[in-house]
Amino acid sequence: MDIETNKIAGAVLSTLLVVMGLNMTAGIVFAPKKPAVPGYDLPSDEPVAAAAGPAAAAEEPIAVRLAKADVARGEKAVGACKACHTFEKGGANKIGPHLYDVYGRNKGAVDGFAYSAAMKGKSAEKWEADQLDGFLKNPKAYMPGTIMAFAGVSRPDTRADMVAYLNSLADAPKPLPKP
Ligand code: HEC
């Protein structure tokens, strides 16, 4: 082989190498992604935020929930309140005021209990179904400044059970609102 032939062979070889190199690089850079499941990603026809949508967020009115509330369930549910409240007639105040006969009572009306200014400011209002439901859902949101250190009861039906139970704690329970 003469020198010219060698040069040509070299040029062809190096061209081949460059093409192969480019091909590999392209393969790495543009590696095709294979879908885990072959086929197209069709838009799902399930509503995305079904659980958080307005339908789920809307609570039934307390009167509707009270119609299916259960005093015995409510009595169990207030176990969470007993660190701070007594429920029996003549019960003492603890961290919170006693709750016998609270339904229909004016807010902040137990003698000798040191209520917050926020509670005293509402003493013209009575604890009825709506008010208890709202307060128990989120005390601090319902009454900014309250000293009831309790996060709240998120389940609407459980709150209705509690309201029914609280109303039962009276010599003469008051009529509950009807749907
Ligand atoms: C960590 C203690 C604590 C827990 C737990 C707690 N409370 Fe209270 N509660 C208080 C305090 C303190 C007040 C007085 C709030 C104020 O003056 O702002 C209060 C006030 C109340 C009032 C208003 C009473 C009145 O005389 O005006 C109601 C009703 C009530 N709580 C119900 C409940 C129920 C039902 C639960 C359980 C689901 C509960 N609380 C859990 C401490 C607590």
Side-chain angles (χ1 to χ4, degrees):
M1 252 192 255
D2 62 31
I3 276 214
E4 279 309 303
T5 322
N6 260 343
K7 274 190 182 160
I8 293 167
V12 168
L13 252 177
S14 49
T15 309
L16 268 176
L17 275 174
V18 167
V19 169
M20 274 172 66
L22 274 178
N23 216 353
M24 278 168 66
T25 315
I28 292 165
V29 174
F30 304 107
K33 278 215 187 83
K34 295 228 172 68
V37 180
Y40 296 103
D41 276 341
L42 289 176
S44 151
D45 53 8
E46 269 176 55
V48 177
E59 289 175 358
E60 288 177 310
I62 181 66
V64 173
R65 280 178 281 136
L66 279 172
K68 50 192 177 182
D70 186 84
V71 170
R73 275 200 311 257
E75 181 171 10
K76 283 208 191 98
V78 300
C81 327
K82 290 193 170 160
C84 301
H85 291 287
T86 61
F87 292 85
E88 66 278 2
K89 190 175 184 177
N93 297 331
K94 292 166 76 182
I95 295 168
H98 78 77
L99 290 180
Y100 186 83
D101 215 6
V102 71
Y103 194 101
R105 185 163 90 195
N106 283 70
K107 294 180 180 174
V110 170
D111 276 342
F113 184 82
Y115 288 99
S116 63
M119 186 71 81
K120 283 191 239 161
K122 298 286 180 192
S123 60
E125 296 176 8
K126 286 188 174 12
W127 285 120
E128 278 162 357
D130 251 344
Q131 285 81 1
L132 285 168
D133 186 48
F135 186 57
L136 295 179
K137 179 177 183 178
N138 187 337
K140 294 232 148 57
Y142 178 86
M143 186 181 284
T146 182
I147 50 170
M148 172 152 137
F150 181 72
V153 179
S154 55
R155 286 202 55 199
D157 291 345
T158 303
R159 293 199 305 275
D161 291 340
M162 288 178 165
V163 171
Y165 173 63
L166 289 174
N167 185 49
S168 78
L169 304 176
D171 298 339
K174 320 255 177 330
L176 289 169
K178 296 244 166 355

